[in-house]
Amino acid sequence: MSYDGRVYTVQIGDIMRKLPIFQVAPGVKIAIFNMLGDTEVVETAAAGLATRMPVGAEVLVVPEVKAIPLAHALSVHTGLPYVVVRKVRKPYMVDCLETEVVSITTGAPQTLYVDGKDVHLVRDKRVVVVDDVISTGSTIRGLRQLMAQVNATIVGEMAVFTEGRPEDWDGMIALGHLPIFTD
């Protein structure tokens, strides 16, 4: 991993990517990891995470949008189904589970939804929560709250990267860590 002030270089498996640096608050910058459209990164990350899948996992739970390709690839690698937790409730979604979070990427309260048609897939199951980057932990906390509503047992939490203070993410299964840059 290297940082030159404009980009932060990361390695996922055998591949390298240069992540652009963006200011997210006065004096605070982060490296932006976006794997949408990067099939090589998605497949490499899924293969790496699949080897670390907790024993006994029955279903993957993933927030939309950026982590969906990862969940799909991880599902292919492991044979586990996945459930997408939505950030917008659509008219066809009925009997939803819901909880509110505040994400670093939105900066505003956001409601997470599990479509009623998917509740049976997670109710009383052993689930693994999967995301692209775990930063403040607000999305993970929301996913935990949703899973508690249906008595699901979270047997693992996975991400391509954690971000911030590494000690905050003990127990998180991740392929790497992204620092926060301060002036």
Side-chain angles (χ1 to χ4, degrees):
M1 313 275 184
S2 67
Y3 172 63
D4 74 3
R6 293 175 291 120
V7 297
Y8 185 71
T9 303
V10 297
Q11 183 169 349
I12 303 167
D14 293 334
I15 60 174
M16 306 284 278
R17 290 295 185 267
K18 293 183 182 300
L19 308 181
I21 305 296
F22 284 96
Q23 184 168 326
V24 293
V28 179
K29 297 176 184 173
I30 62 172
I32 302 297
F33 175 66
N34 183 350
M35 65 183 155
L36 287 176
D38 192 337
T39 304
E40 185 179 31
V41 163
V42 169
E43 290 297 326
T44 301
L49 289 171
T51 66
R52 300 174 66 190
M53 184 61 61
V55 174
E58 296 176 283
V59 64
L60 307 170
V61 175
V62 58
E64 68 177 358
V65 167
K66 293 188 296 183
I68 292 174
L70 177 63
H72 177 86
L74 197 51
S75 177
V76 170
H77 281 274
T78 63
L80 297 173
Y82 68 96
V83 170
V84 176
V85 174
R86 305 292 299 265
K87 295 179 180 176
V88 175
R89 186 174 185 161
K90 303 291 185 181
Y92 56 80
M93 295 168 58
V94 296
D95 300 324
C96 293
L97 302 178
E98 60 182 78
T99 193
E100 190 174 277
V101 299
V102 177
S103 171
I104 191 172
T105 55
T106 63
Q110 184 174 57
T111 304
L112 300 177
Y113 303 92
V114 175
D115 190 344
K117 74 171 184 56
D118 293 330
V119 170
H120 75 281
L121 296 171
V122 292
R123 184 177 306 281
D124 300 318
K125 300 289 182 166
R126 295 170 49 86
V127 305
V128 175
V129 174
V130 181
D131 207 349
D132 58 337
V133 177
I134 306 297
S135 184
T136 65
S138 66
T139 301
I140 286 289
R141 282 189 295 280
L143 296 174
R144 289 174 185 158
Q145 291 166 1
L146 287 168
M147 294 303 99
Q149 289 179 38
V150 291
N151 199 38
T153 301
I154 296 176
V155 297
E157 297 174 331
M158 303 181 120
V160 179
F161 292 108
T162 55
E163 184 175 63
R165 297 176 351 152
E167 61 271 20
D168 289 344
W169 305 120
D170 288 342
M172 177 68 61
I173 300 165
L175 300 178
H177 180 75
L178 301 173
I180 293 177
F181 306 97
T182 56
D183 294 339

